[in-house]
Amino acid sequence: MGFSFRRSSSFGPFRLNFSKSGIGASVGVKGARVTLTPAGRTYITVGAGGFSYRQNLHAGYRSSPVRPQLQPAQTAPALDEIKTADVEELRESSKSELVEDLNRRAAMFNPAIILFIAAGILGLIGMITLTSSLPAMLPALPEISSYSDSTRQANMTDEYALLVARYGEPSTVQIAQAGSTPVRNATWDSAHLTVRFVPVGCVDALRYFEAHKDDPPPIHATGRRRSAPRTETPTAPSCNVTASKASTIVAYEDAQSHTPIDAATAAGFLAGISNRSAAAPVVNVSTPVLVKGRAAKALAPPQSLEYDQPTFQKEEQRLRELEITGKLNQRIGVACLAGAVLFLIPGVLVHRKNREKRTTQLIYDLSDSAKALQEEVEGSLGHLGRSGAIWRLDSQSAITDWKRNAGAAYNVQRERISMRRSTPARVESNIVPLCLDLGKLKLFFLPDQVLYWQRGTFASIDYSDLKVASTSTRFIEESVQTSDSQQVGNTWRYVRKDGGPDRRFSNNRQLPIMLYGVVHATSAAGLNLVFHTSRPDSATSFQTNFQAFQMNRSRHTLPDPATESAPKSSTRDDSTALTFPTDIAQALSVLGLRPGCTAEEIAAAYRHMAQMYHPDKTAGLGPEIQKLADQRMKEINAAHQALKRFDQSQGENAYSNPRC
């Protein structure tokens, strides 16, 4: 047994507890006491009669460990969006003539759209009418199933007349007698198809004949006292030819192989007929079939084949109407397509002319120092480009159930972005700047400013107003790792407090913990972008080189972009800003202000910046973002205090006085 020590001393309502862990205290009366443990935890105990209730007043002073971020899982909580300024907010603060010109030209109406819409509508109508002008699909042939289809007996339409009207007269017709049923085998030689017909209402009689044609002759009674038993034969169905001479299809046959085929195959054969024959077919009569052991009376070939004329004429009339409608639709379709072309050609010409009006020619005439500065900013951006992957963080929120989220403290939603050389839309320039493509928005790094594009609208961000900070973060990666990223540990998808795998989950897998860089880009107008880089040194190098570029740029005067009317860029006069003390100019830059501002504008800028970076606004974000925001808030407060002191010392209009 280990050594233990515990002793209590009471002084009225107060009590001191001595133990190996330290000294604790409690105060209260019987049934209700407040206790402070040696570990620093405080709780209240209420109870009587053997029942008690204990409630911790706070969780003590033990801090929770710093946990890495995790890519969002399927059951992720609601994420807090990392808000950045909308393009309209940045546009209001933009003082660039280039931005005004770009937005003015972007708002110009393009009349070619009307011509393109008209051409599209006419083209669509033309395609639809041309499609409907194609030869109409003829009705499907009736399906035959070895005489077992009961609908064949009930058919009263002359199907021979229909086929003659659709495909022309057959080449030959072979007439035979099957018992009391006349059978007509019509053959279209060009389609290699034979179709068998019987008069309507005679299908059952043909079926009976086919079933009993091979039966032996009946046994007649002899002079014996006892004759052999006789088998009763069912009565044969009658075949009464109607006055309409209508015929029903009972079979399809390949004329070359003499094998039965189905209706779909027969329709395919008939579709191959290119010219409908109007000549009467050659009619033959086959050898009579034996009926009850005796030859039937031979039939003479008919002079002509009869069929239902009303059915034939009605089908011909329907086909003529389809043909007329098809030709009319064809003319309409061709006319619509021709009209679409007539609208499309002037539309292209108008669009080219309008594109020239809507295009801004941005020509830079850079000095050697300006070229060097442009190389510096592109070099700093090149450090970001050296990362195998760059992500923009769209949202982030704290995780409460970290055990089921690989031990992560924050859930983030991110989107992979890219960097390339590209000019803004409707801009022609002799310089192709680097573009940071963020999906819904783009940043173009021009020699004199950063162009911000979103939803077809431009805004301008001055380089001196763009603040960047960098740090690193531990990220639990669930997607594919990049080749240049550094793995600093492992964790489990479902993790215990000691870092081991939670054995309650069978699909628990190990996840890598990567070390990523974090870049936080902000501006006084409300820009707020957070990036992850696969290489932490890329974020640090970018911050160092970009801040060095900003310091070098502040010592030079840069030209503004020129438009069509001005072949060379004009020079902005920043001499007023150079007359301020260095700390005051820096303070104005922190708040996104320039010389000429008033005290009211300074107060408004401070309130706007404080609302963005106040700790309450970043409480739900990651620790590295909170750290950057806290550092930024300290800079904002220091700048505001410096400007207040300068205002008090210089008096009214302190920031617009060149002597400052």
Side-chain angles (χ1 to χ4, degrees):
M1 177 180 291
F3 173 75
S4 63
F5 170 76
R6 183 178 182 88
R7 183 180 180 86
S8 299
S9 299
S10 301
F11 306 95
F14 300 97
R15 178 183 298 169
L16 294 179
N17 301 315
F18 303 94
S19 66
K20 293 197 309 180
S21 302
I23 301 176
S26 64
V27 60
V29 296
K30 185 177 181 180
R33 301 193 70 85
V34 178
T35 304
L36 175 64
T37 66
R41 291 188 294 270
T42 304
Y43 57 86
I44 182 172
T45 304
V46 180
F51 296 94
S52 64
Y53 170 78
R54 173 178 290 186
Q55 174 66 45
N56 291 334
L57 297 183
H58 59 77
Y61 303 101
R62 183 177 58 184
S63 60
S64 59
V66 177
R67 301 187 182 275
Q69 299 177 355
L70 176 68
Q71 193 174 5
Q74 295 181 352
T75 58
L79 301 179
D80 298 328
E81 181 182 0
I82 301 177
K83 295 184 177 181
T84 184
D86 190 79
V87 65
E88 296 296 338
E89 301 177 17
L90 295 176
R91 180 179 176 181
E92 293 178 359
S93 62
S94 301
K95 306 298 181 182
S96 172
E97 296 180 0
L98 172 62
V99 171
E100 297 177 1
D101 185 62
L102 288 174
N103 290 325
R104 177 181 61 82
R105 293 176 184 269
M108 294 174 60
F109 176 71
N110 186 6
I113 296 177
I114 299 178
L115 299 176
F116 289 148
I117 293 176
I121 293 174
L122 288 177
L124 181 61
I125 295 175
M127 294 299 296
I128 293 175
T129 53
L130 281 179
T131 303
S132 61
S133 67
L134 296 176
M137 292 293 293
L138 294 175
L141 296 178
E143 187 64 42
I144 307 300
S145 302
S146 301
Y147 302 162
S148 62
D149 190 356
S150 60
T151 59
R152 295 287 82 209
Q153 175 67 21
N155 173 63
M156 302 302 294
T157 303
D158 189 358
E159 295 173 342
Y160 178 80
L162 293 178
L163 291 188
V164 171
R166 296 173 188 173
Y167 305 105
E169 293 283 355
S171 304
T172 60
V173 175
Q174 188 78 22
I175 298 177
Q177 191 73 20
S180 61
T181 305
V183 179
R184 182 185 302 176
N185 294 319
T187 302
W188 282 264
D189 290 342
S190 59
H192 307 293
L193 176 69
T194 298
V195 183
R196 183 173 301 168
F197 300 89
V198 296
V200 295
C202 295
V203 175
D204 286 345
L206 177 65
R207 184 186 303 117
Y208 176 86
F209 174 80
E210 292 289 341
H212 297 281
K213 65 180 180 180
D214 297 328
D215 290 350
I219 301 175
H220 298 281
T222 60
R224 301 176 187 176
R225 183 173 297 180
R226 285 192 175 187
S227 61
R230 300 180 60 183
T231 303
E232 295 185 1
T233 303
T235 305
S238 62
C239 176
N240 300 319
V241 179
T242 62
S244 64
K245 307 297 182 182
S247 299
T248 299
I249 299 175
V250 294
Y252 305 103
E253 186 179 273
D254 188 335
Q256 292 179 331
S257 62
H258 303 286
T259 56
I261 59 176
D262 57 11
T265 306
F269 285 2
L270 290 173
I273 299 177
S274 57
N275 296 321
R276 299 178 183 177
S277 175
V282 177
V283 181
N284 299 316
V285 177
S286 63
T287 303
V289 181
L290 291 176
V291 179
K292 294 184 179 181
R294 300 191 302 272
K297 184 179 180 180
L299 300 175
Q303 297 296 326
S304 63
L305 293 177
E306 296 180 353
Y307 48 83
D308 188 24
Q309 289 296 327
T311 302
F312 175 79
Q313 294 171 0
K314 185 177 180 180
E315 183 68 11
E316 272 197 332
Q317 179 65 23
R318 188 184 72 85
L319 294 176
R320 281 195 297 267
E321 291 176 355
L322 288 176
E323 185 178 1
I324 293 172
T325 303
K327 290 181 179 179
L328 179 60
N329 289 338
Q330 186 176 10
R331 295 191 189 99
I332 295 175
V334 172
C336 289
L337 290 179
V341 173
L342 292 178
F343 275 104
L344 184 62
I345 293 176
V348 172
L349 298 177
V350 172
H351 177 70
R352 289 182 178 178
K353 188 66 176 178
N354 185 264
R355 184 176 60 183
E356 295 176 359
K357 294 181 179 180
R358 301 176 69 196
T359 301
T360 300
Q361 292 186 357
L362 191 60
I363 308 301
Y364 285 96
D365 186 10
L366 301 179
S367 62
D368 293 339
S369 59
K371 291 180 181 178
L373 289 174
Q374 182 67 10
E375 292 175 357
E376 285 187 25
V377 68
E378 292 182 354
S380 61
L381 292 169
H383 288 282
L384 286 180
R386 281 198 291 269
S387 292
I390 309 175
W391 300 272
R392 179 195 173 191
L393 271 64
D394 297 324
S395 55
Q396 179 171 314
S397 65
I399 292 178
T400 55
D401 188 8
W402 57 268
K403 292 183 180 181
R404 297 176 182 266
N405 290 273
Y410 293 90
N411 226 329
V412 303
Q413 183 176 355
R414 63 183 186 177
E415 179 183 5
R416 191 160 182 172
I417 63 177
S418 61
M419 183 182 297
R420 65 180 187 277
R421 288 193 176 273
S422 175
T423 55
R426 293 184 293 277
V427 172
E428 294 181 356
S429 177
N430 60 334
I431 292 179
V432 182
L434 284 176
C435 170
L436 194 59
D437 190 349
L438 309 181
K440 296 180 180 179
L441 57 92
K442 295 179 177 63
L443 296 177
F444 298 90
F445 293 85
L446 300 176
D448 59 331
Q449 60 191 308
V450 179
L451 274 185
Y452 183 98
W453 176 92
Q454 185 181 20
R455 300 191 306 273
T457 305
F458 289 91
S460 175
I461 303 174
D462 193 85
Y463 279 109
S464 60
D465 189 31
L466 188 59
K467 308 298 179 184
V468 296
S470 67
T471 183
S472 61
T473 185
R474 291 160 56 89
F475 193 88
I476 299 175
E477 189 62 76
E478 287 190 342
S479 59
V480 179
Q481 306 177 36
T482 57
S483 58
D484 61 343
S485 55
Q486 178 184 358
Q487 182 174 347
V488 294
N490 292 289
T491 186
W492 297 89
R493 185 66 185 85
Y494 304 99
V495 65
R496 300 196 308 259
K497 289 184 178 181
D498 59 358
D502 194 333
R503 303 296 182 183
R504 295 176 299 174
F505 300 91
S506 60
N507 59 340
N508 199 357
R509 60 190 179 97
Q510 201 169 28
L511 300 176
I513 301 177
M514 313 304 296
L515 185 63
Y516 288 161
V518 181
V519 176
H520 194 190
T522 59
S523 72
L527 183 72
N528 184 29
L529 301 175
V530 181
F531 307 108
H532 276 183
T533 60
S534 57
R535 292 176 51 178
D537 59 330
S538 296
T540 306
S541 301
F542 168 68
Q543 176 191 3
T544 304
N545 287 271
F546 189 80
Q547 290 177 349
F549 154 74
Q550 288 178 313
M551 294 180 61
N552 293 334
R553 187 178 184 276
S554 64
R555 302 190 185 99
H556 298 82
T557 302
L558 290 180
D560 285 337
T563 58
E564 297 175 278
S565 59
K568 292 188 177 182
S569 59
S570 59
T571 303
R572 181 173 64 245
D573 185 10
D574 288 340
S575 59
T576 304
L578 298 178
T579 59
F580 280 96
T582 304
D583 58 338
I584 299 303
Q586 181 66 23
L588 288 173
S589 176
V590 169
L591 296 181
L593 300 172
R594 293 185 179 182
C597 58
T598 63
E600 291 76 10
E601 292 175 341
I602 293 176
Y606 171 73
R607 287 193 299 270
H608 177 71
M609 299 287 287
Q611 289 176 356
M612 289 180 54
Y613 299 101
H614 194 274
D616 292 343
K617 299 293 184 180
T618 60
L621 303 180
E624 69 282 348
I625 300 178
Q626 293 181 17
K627 181 180 178 181
L628 295 175
D630 182 64
Q631 179 181 356
R632 181 69 170 153
M633 193 63 204
K634 291 179 181 179
E635 295 176 358
I636 294 170
N637 290 330
H640 185 233
Q641 293 298 325
L643 293 177
K644 287 179 63 175
R645 290 192 298 268
F646 182 73
D647 186 27
Q648 294 173 359
S649 63
Q650 297 294 329
E652 189 177 0
N653 299 327
Y655 308 101
S656 58
N657 188 355
R659 294 182 291 102
C660 299

